[in-house]
Amino acid sequence: MQLPDEYWVEAELAECRERGGHCYLELIEKEEAANTPVAKASAKCWRQTWQIVLPYFERATGQTIHAGMKVLLKVYAQFHEAYGFSWIVSDIDPTYTLGDMARKRQEIIRKLKEAGIFDLQRELCIPLFAQRIAVISAEGAAGYGDFCRQLEDNEYGFRFEVTLFPAIMQGEQVETSVVTALNAIYPHVHDFDVVVIIRGGGATSDLSGFDTLALAENVSQFPIPIITGIGHDRDESILDMVANTRVKTPTAAAALLIDNLRQVLERINNAQQRITLAIHQKISNQKSRLTNLQTLIPALVERKLSNAKHRVELLENRLPAATERIMTNQKHKLSQIELMLQSYDPQLLLKRGYSITLLNGRAVRDPEELKAGDKIETRVEKGTIQSVVIIEK
């Protein structure tokens, strides 16, 4: 039995599975406060309808339908004697899901900003010589192969060390798998310059795993720069928002790393050119100084010689007068000394009535110097008296 009326129903998907081209859904409604189911119903979307609504939904939302997603379904009721009552889906409104997805994304962004970690990755700088690359990608994925080839075949001959940390890059296990890979890198973080998270070859509609709070928290607080290239054209995922640098594809991530080294090489070459020019300029300046000195030295020597000759001439002119002045001073000093010596002449003392007693040619100053029998000589003005010392007891 089929009821004719159709209804728009808001629900969260507890289960979504395909079988035989048909889709079987389990719908639930939860209490907002307790987050526990309060109502439950089954729904089916037949193959002819599912083949139409699914591609449209994926193009509009950028995601495939999965458990945990909130949807707005257009349904009608159907009762089957053998299988019981169920809702039959005739349409799905992607704008409702987009609104719910946007609300969830904004809530995650709000929490990251309130925690002060939303912009942490952008405070890091990709190292100048970023050559040791930790890659998180699906092993054997086309995107990972493209990334490695792009690095290896770069036109500058740069060499990169790439280490793969395998992860599931689509489906419900993305969050857990990527976080596990980050945890594996963390103990060896000093062995790498950057982390690159790339995805290629998967469905562009299966990107919900990159819009989770747990993954964003891990990426935003990682200690080295993270580059994302998960290959999609829609709005940025939250992973892209919190990463250090976001590019579109794995090959674009490789091009970014190559260009980073190219810029470093360019800076080194420019610095080398500036140093070479500075050295050449310095040498040129020194040569100019030497040339100027070679020109100035003869004139300086000539001027020095001329000054010296002039001083010699001045000294020659002053020398006779100076010599005569010195001789006059010295003659005056000699006259004074002569007068002084004359005042000390013993003969003058003898003429005044004094006498001098000598013992062995030396003047006797103290009678104690004499002993009995000593022959002494006494000089007076008119002559000399010889005596023998007699000591009375």
Side-chain angles (χ1 to χ4, degrees), residues 104-121:
K104 286 182 179 178
R105 283 162 57 89
Q106 289 303 315
E107 181 65 16
I108 291 172
I109 292 169
R110 183 187 65 78
K111 289 180 179 179
L112 293 171
K113 289 184 176 180
E114 284 183 355
I117 61 175
F118 186 78
D119 296 312
L120 284 182
Q121 267 283 312

Side-chain angles (χ1 to χ4, degrees), residues 60-345:
T61 63
Q63 295 197 38
T64 190
I65 295 176
H66 59 269
M69 179 179 282
K70 287 190 176 181
V71 291
L72 180 62
L73 307 174
K74 190 174 186 180
V75 299
Y76 59 87
Q78 186 179 68
F79 180 77
H80 192 279
E81 291 80 357
Y83 301 106
F85 174 85
S86 63
W87 293 106
I88 305 301
V89 177
S90 61
D91 198 3
I92 304 175
D93 185 357
T95 58
Y96 175 84
T97 303
L98 280 171
D100 185 66
M101 288 165 53
R103 181 190 61 78
K104 286 182 179 178
R105 283 162 57 89
Q106 289 303 315
E107 181 65 16
I108 291 172
I109 292 169
R110 183 187 65 78
K111 289 180 179 179
L112 293 171
K113 289 184 176 180
E114 284 183 355
I117 61 175
F118 186 78
D119 296 312
L120 284 182
Q121 267 283 312
R122 280 182 288 279
E123 294 176 6
L124 304 176
C125 294
I126 296 175
L128 294 178
F129 298 92
Q131 294 172 280
R132 303 172 303 165
I133 318 300
V135 177
I136 299 176
S137 181
E139 192 169 9
Y144 174 62
D146 293 342
F147 175 82
C148 292
R149 280 190 295 274
Q150 182 91 350
L151 290 183
E152 187 174 350
D153 299 336
N154 71 86
E155 61 181 299
Y156 307 100
F158 299 143
R159 290 291 172 260
F160 295 87
E161 298 176 15
V162 177
T163 304
L164 176 65
F165 291 82
I168 297 170
M169 302 304 288
Q170 61 183 20
E172 296 179 8
Q173 298 180 20
V174 168
E175 176 193 285
T176 304
S177 186
V178 174
V179 170
T180 300
L182 288 172
N183 291 338
I185 296 170
Y186 186 81
H188 312 286
V189 72
H190 296 295
D191 297 330
F192 299 104
D193 300 313
V194 293
V195 175
V196 177
I197 301 176
I198 52 177
R199 173 187 182 273
T204 57
S205 61
D206 195 5
L207 294 163
S208 59
F210 300 105
D211 281 335
T212 70
L213 179 61
L215 180 56
E217 288 174 335
N218 277 270
V219 168
S220 63
Q221 297 178 86
F222 209 71
I224 61 175
I226 293 179
I227 300 168
T228 60
I230 54 179
H232 59 89
D233 294 315
R234 69 178 181 83
D235 293 340
E236 287 182 309
S237 67
I238 292 177
L239 173 64
D240 292 323
M241 292 179 183
V242 298
N244 177 275
T245 306
R246 177 247 180 166
V247 293
K248 182 179 174 182
T249 62
T251 53
L256 173 71
L257 292 169
I258 294 168
D259 190 62
N260 182 65
L261 280 186
R262 181 197 61 77
Q263 291 181 34
V264 173
L265 178 61
E266 190 174 287
R267 288 176 62 182
I268 292 172
N269 290 336
N270 290 339
Q272 186 178 20
Q273 290 176 5
R274 288 197 301 271
I275 291 169
T276 302
L277 287 173
I279 291 172
H280 287 164
Q281 186 64 43
K282 195 78 171 175
I283 291 172
S284 177
N285 292 340
Q286 293 303 319
K287 282 183 177 178
S288 297
R289 287 189 63 195
L290 287 173
T291 302
N292 292 335
L293 287 173
Q294 287 175 345
T295 305
L296 292 173
I297 284 172
L300 289 171
V301 171
E302 186 176 350
R303 187 160 63 248
K304 279 279 188 183
L305 289 173
S306 176
N307 291 339
K309 185 177 179 181
H310 179 65
R311 287 184 64 194
V312 169
E313 289 174 351
L314 289 175
L315 289 173
E316 284 178 348
N317 293 332
R318 293 174 183 172
L319 188 59
T323 303
E324 186 176 351
R325 188 165 57 251
I326 291 170
M327 292 296 291
T328 300
N329 291 337
Q330 294 301 318
K331 284 180 181 179
H332 179 67
K333 286 182 179 179
L334 285 173
S335 297
Q336 289 178 331
I337 292 170
E338 186 178 357
L339 291 173
M340 185 176 65
L341 289 174
Q342 287 177 358
S343 66
Y344 289 109
D345 188 355

